Amino acid sequence: MQNVTKARLQKEGWIKNIRKYKALYLMVFPGVLYFIMFRYIPLGGITIAFQDYMIFKGILNSPFVGFKHFESLFSYAQFWRVLKNTAIIGLYNIVFVFPVPIFLALLFNEIRNLAYKRTLQTIYYVPHFFSWVIISALTVQFLSLSGVVNSVRKWIGLEALLFMQSEAYFRLILILTSIWKEAGWGTIILLAAISSINPEIYEAAMADGASRLRQMFSITLPLLMPTVVVLLLLNIGNVLDLSFDQIYNLLTPMTYPVGDVIDTYVYRVGIIQGQYSATTAIGLFQSLIGLILVVFFNSLARRYQEEGGLW
């Protein structure tokens, strides 16, 4: 009897809560619906990795083969190459691309002329709104034999180089174009975090004679670290999930040995060649590695935070 009464009270409280915050629930509903339709329902397609999927039989009628594709995954001649390339490029993104928005946010925060600051931020934001097709086309033109870089090289007496066809430059081009397109946009969350810092802390530091550089390293950066750690964990989780649009539009047959990654391999083998089960297994493996990395580094970050060694 008590359980029935308790359940009824909980139900009445839940209904009362919905009526009270009806506008908020209605505002959240489209986002929840989006995630259910486009994030959770498609997860049913993971079963393809455990089948010999046949497109005309569909998921329900294709034969179940268990872990066959996972067992043969590591015997693919090209798998280790694309895994290595993906890991290296993902690591480069974390080491070289991720810190740039932090550096820019700290610099933007030090600009006192609001008009100049907003203009500069807008200039840095703009590339984000261009697709990778446009960015890649500009990059190819910029680095072509008749492009700006090779024209300057010829002018100073050096030979022209085939940058886009060279393995030695491909990963560098990926890193530079990533910084060009996304660094400015990445500062938005960091600048919001900086703006939430209590101004009285800076006033107290100035009263003690701290310079602006000292304030940056002793106040702004330490208080920014919790946000940085969250963003870092998100980036680590996506270390194997690179920008397909970027790499696909910049990749050439000559740079396959260093630029062919999991996403481009899955597209080429899974979509074009129709090997859906094998490439779904690769994609699932990729997601599991990302999940393991997030869980591991999240626990590591919590431990250091509790010990006071992180910030």
Side-chain angles (χ1 to χ4, degrees):
M1 185 66 180
Q2 291 180 351
N3 292 334
V4 174
T5 304
K6 184 178 180 181
R8 188 180 65 182
L9 291 174
Q10 288 178 344
K11 183 178 179 181
E12 291 176 354
W14 183 70
I15 295 173
K16 184 179 179 181
N17 188 56
I18 290 179
R19 289 175 179 173
K20 183 178 179 180
Y21 300 105
K22 181 173 62 176
L24 295 177
Y25 282 110
L26 288 174
M27 184 175 65
V28 171
F29 179 75
V32 174
L33 185 63
Y34 167 81
F35 275 95
I36 292 174
M37 292 183 63
F38 297 103
R39 298 293 182 178
Y40 287 97
I41 293 178
L43 288 177
I46 291 175
T47 55
I48 294 174
F50 305 94
Q51 298 175 324
D52 272 335
Y53 179 71
M54 301 177 185
I55 191 169
F56 294 107
K57 289 187 176 181
I59 296 177
L60 297 179
N61 297 318
S62 295
F64 183 78
V65 295
F67 290 94
K68 169 188 171 182
H69 297 293
F70 291 94
E71 292 171 357
S72 59
L73 183 67
F74 302 103
S75 64
Y76 293 156
Q78 295 181 335
F79 173 73
W80 292 107
R81 186 193 70 184
V82 298
L83 180 62
K84 175 185 174 183
N85 291 339
T86 305
I88 290 174
I89 295 174
L91 182 62
Y92 283 178
N93 282 332
I94 292 176
V95 174
F96 298 111
V97 179
F98 177 74
V100 176
I102 303 172
F103 178 72
L104 287 177
L106 293 173
L107 293 184
F108 284 150
N109 186 57
E110 297 304 315
I111 300 175
R112 291 295 167 259
N113 188 317
L114 291 180
Y116 177 65
K117 178 180 180 180
R118 290 170 182 170
T119 302
L120 202 59
Q121 286 177 340
T122 302
I123 292 172
Y124 276 89
Y125 292 164
V126 165
H128 171 79
F129 297 99
F130 292 100
S131 70
W132 274 113
V133 175
I134 297 175
I135 296 295
S136 299
L138 291 173
T139 303
V140 170
Q141 290 297 321
F142 192 74
L143 297 175
S144 66
L145 287 175
S146 58
V148 175
V149 176
N150 277 317
S151 296
V152 173
R153 288 180 61 86
K154 291 176 184 178
W155 183 68
I156 61 177
L158 298 176
E159 292 183 0
L161 295 176
L162 294 170
F163 288 101
M164 299 305 302
Q165 288 75 33
S166 174
E167 295 181 13
Y169 296 107
F170 182 76
R171 290 171 181 166
L172 176 61
I173 292 171
L174 289 181
I175 298 304
L176 294 178
T177 51
S178 295
I179 293 174
W180 175 24
K181 187 176 187 295
E182 301 296 349
W185 185 256
T187 62
I188 290 179
I189 296 176
L190 297 170
L191 286 172
I194 291 175
S195 66
S196 66
I197 298 175
N198 190 345
E200 294 180 358
I201 300 177
Y202 292 104
E203 294 173 3
M206 286 188 287
D208 290 338
S211 63
R212 296 210 60 84
L213 190 63
R214 173 55 62 187
Q215 292 175 44
M216 178 191 295
F217 286 102
S218 298
I219 299 175
T220 308
L221 193 56
L223 293 178
L224 190 62
M225 283 306 296
T227 304
V228 171
V229 170
V230 172
L231 295 176
L232 178 61
L233 290 173
L234 294 175
N235 277 269
I236 289 174
N238 294 323
V239 68
L240 297 182
D241 188 13
L242 305 177
S243 175
F244 169 80
D245 293 339
Q246 177 193 17
I247 297 176
Y248 182 76
N249 284 287
L250 291 173
L251 196 63
T252 63
M254 286 73 78
T255 55
Y256 265 45
V258 296
D260 192 21
V261 296
I262 291 177
D263 290 339
T264 55
Y265 178 78
V266 167
Y267 170 76
R268 188 173 64 256
V269 176
I271 304 299
I272 297 178
Q273 299 180 14
Q275 299 182 27
Y276 302 108
S277 295
T279 50
T280 302
I282 294 175
L284 184 57
F285 170 80
Q286 176 184 8
S287 301
L288 289 175
I289 293 297
L291 176 62
I292 292 171
L293 288 173
V294 167
V295 172
F296 173 75
F297 282 99
N298 185 46
S299 61
L300 193 66
R302 285 184 177 180
R303 187 178 68 183
Y304 275 96
Q305 181 182 4
E306 292 171 358
E307 293 175 359
L310 189 60
W311 56 77

